[in-house]
Amino acid sequence: MKKTILIPVLTFLILLTALILHGNRIPSYVSREEPALGTFVAIKIEKTQGYEALLDKAFENIRQLEKVFSAHTPDSELARLNNLKKAEVSFHLLELIKKSTVVSEITGGAFDITVLPLIELYKQAELSGNPPVEKEIRECLARTGWHKIEIKGTTVKIPCGLDMGGIAKGYIVDKTAEFLKEHGVKNGLVNAGGDIYCFGRPPRGEKWRIGIQSPSRKDVLITDLYVSGFAVATSGDYERYLLIKGKKFGHIIDPVTGKTVQNSPAGITVTAVDASTADALATAFYVMGVEKSIKTADRLNGVEVFIIDGAGKTHQSRNFSNFALP
Ligand code: ADP
Ligand code: MG
């Protein structure tokens, strides 16, 4: 072979080998989805050694944490606290009650885990078929209010039962991502029914792509977000409501009026540095409405919001578009 041909051929072969070797280094991924937390939890991670056992343990941890926060199973740790009204609590329960009060503070009380008496009032109303009357709502409001939660060391005293349904899923997503990272996983995504935390990179591209569905048509994507090392939570009022005398009542309570939020946005997507914050803000933003939510997002680091209002119009916070590019 002539020297003039040999050099390009050799160069080509070297490049090809380099490409194949590099290709092998791009990790392959594995996904697992299981029912948990009243929804489906999906975990996608790169295939590391022992990933099967790691995923087993991750889902086991999720079920353990579910037992801490569920307000609806009588044997959860939260149910015990709700019963006793004053108790020494575990690390996780303490951490999340504290975090909840931080979100209450930054949302001017729109997020408030003491709404449980009101949630129960509306649930009873659904059973009896009669919407709650003003007097019943006022009686509940006299007991609720996140300011009335007292924390001393690891002892918590509460004025009424707590409902952590607006933040617990996000927290469990965070703890799952932390667990995976601690065990050497560099790239992954945890999704608990729309509460997502992702880190590292996906199989293709640098950032994870998260689509926002149309609230009225699940097969239609309104926009995409590209994120890594971030949480995204999406809440849709359309998914859960109570039916009282044929009228729909949302599942989110305005802690000031004590009533379920009416005429709320159709869909809210929030980004934050962690999933518990994103989850709780998504709930709070239902109560706050479009303008206040955007103002709040604009003033908080890492928090952006995308809202689809009742008429289908979209609204977004100042830097939301930073997430629009891969
Ligand atoms: P979903 O997963 O259905 O979107 P969210 O994360 O929006 O749920 O949380 C809704 C839940 O939060 C309700 O089912 C209730 O348990 C609780 N909740 C309702 N209103 C409030 C509120 N103002 N502050 C905190 N939690 C609330
Ligand atoms: Mg939420």
Side-chain angles (χ1 to χ4, degrees):
M1 210 185 275
K2 273 192 192 158
K3 216 175 171 182
T4 47
I5 299 180
L6 195 63
I7 289 170
V9 167
L10 274 179
T11 315
F12 174 74
L13 284 177
I14 289 167
L15 281 176
L16 192 70
T17 318
L19 204 71
I20 291 168
L21 285 177
H22 180 73
N24 281 344
R25 266 191 279 119
I26 293 177
S28 57
Y29 284 69
V30 54
S31 304
R32 196 193 285 180
E33 185 172 69
E34 290 187 12
L37 312 177
T39 177
F40 282 90
V41 178
I43 301 179
K44 182 169 185 151
I45 54 169
E46 92 239 17
K47 249 186 191 168
T48 46
Q49 226 189 356
Y51 70 87
E52 289 281 10
L54 193 64
L55 286 175
D56 288 346
K57 187 79 181 105
F59 278 102
E60 195 184 310
N61 292 347
I62 289 172
R63 299 211 164 82
Q64 285 298 326
L65 283 173
E66 188 169 15
K67 282 190 200 151
V68 174
F69 298 115
S70 172
H72 312 293
T73 50
D75 56 349
S76 72
E77 195 196 343
L78 180 60
R80 179 177 167 269
L81 172 65
N82 283 350
N83 235 341
L84 295 172
K85 298 289 183 295
K86 185 177 174 183
E88 200 162 315
V89 299
S90 68
F91 168 84
H92 290 296
L93 190 51
L94 184 66
E95 192 176 31
L96 199 55
I97 291 174
K98 282 184 181 167
K99 181 117 204 194
S100 299
T101 62
V102 171
V103 181
S104 298
E105 187 92 59
I106 59 179
T107 59
F111 186 79
D112 189 336
I113 56 174
T114 66
V115 294
L116 187 67
L118 293 154
I119 300 264
E120 284 172 344
L121 185 65
Y122 275 93
K123 279 197 179 146
Q124 274 169 19
E126 189 179 38
L127 290 179
S128 70
N130 297 312
V133 295
E134 290 291 339
K135 185 169 168 279
E136 290 171 315
I137 292 174
R138 271 202 311 275
E139 277 166 9
C140 284
L141 284 174
R143 292 157 59 211
T144 60
W146 66 277
H147 278 117
K148 297 175 192 157
I149 299 174
E150 287 173 38
I151 303 172
K152 279 204 185 89
T154 54
T155 299
V156 177
K157 193 173 164 219
I158 52 176
C160 60
L162 305 181
D163 180 339
M164 304 186 83
I167 193 167
K169 247 190 297 166
Y171 181 80
I172 296 174
V173 166
D174 287 333
K175 292 295 144 185
T176 306
E178 268 170 37
F179 168 80
L180 295 169
K181 284 197 256 182
E182 276 163 21
H183 286 79
V185 179
K186 300 254 176 322
N187 309 291
L189 180 143
V190 183
N191 180 358
D195 290 334
I196 298 171
Y197 186 85
C198 56
F199 55 99
R201 47 182 292 194
R204 271 172 296 279
E206 292 299 317
K207 291 179 180 169
W208 296 86
R209 182 178 139 216
I210 294 163
I212 300 180
Q213 292 167 338
S214 153
S216 50
R217 287 195 50 194
K218 293 218 148 185
D219 52 329
V220 175
L221 277 185
I222 303 249
T223 189
D224 284 321
L225 270 88
Y226 293 87
V227 282
S228 180
F230 253 86
V232 181
T234 299
S235 237
D237 208 25
Y238 52 96
E239 280 177 344
R240 282 162 58 195
Y241 55 83
L242 301 170
L243 211 55
I244 307 172
K245 278 215 171 116
K247 192 171 169 224
K248 278 187 186 178
F249 290 82
H251 67 301
I252 294 175
I253 302 277
D254 181 334
V256 173
T257 63
K259 294 183 178 157
T260 64
V261 178
Q262 301 288 337
N263 306 319
S264 60
I268 294 187
T269 296
V270 182
T271 69
V273 291
D274 58 55
S276 49
T277 306
D279 185 12
L281 285 178
T283 304
F285 287 169
Y286 265 100
V287 177
M288 295 165 81
V290 177
E291 264 167 55
K292 266 196 193 168
S293 301
I294 288 179
K295 261 195 197 144
T296 305
D298 284 345
R299 128 181 107 69
L300 297 171
N301 252 344
V303 176
E304 299 299 334
V305 62
F306 183 89
I307 302 176
I308 304 166
D309 68 22
K313 193 165 173 258
T314 62
H315 309 260
Q316 60 190 61
S317 56
R318 199 187 304 132
N319 295 322
F320 181 83
S321 52
N322 289 354
F323 291 105
L325 295 174

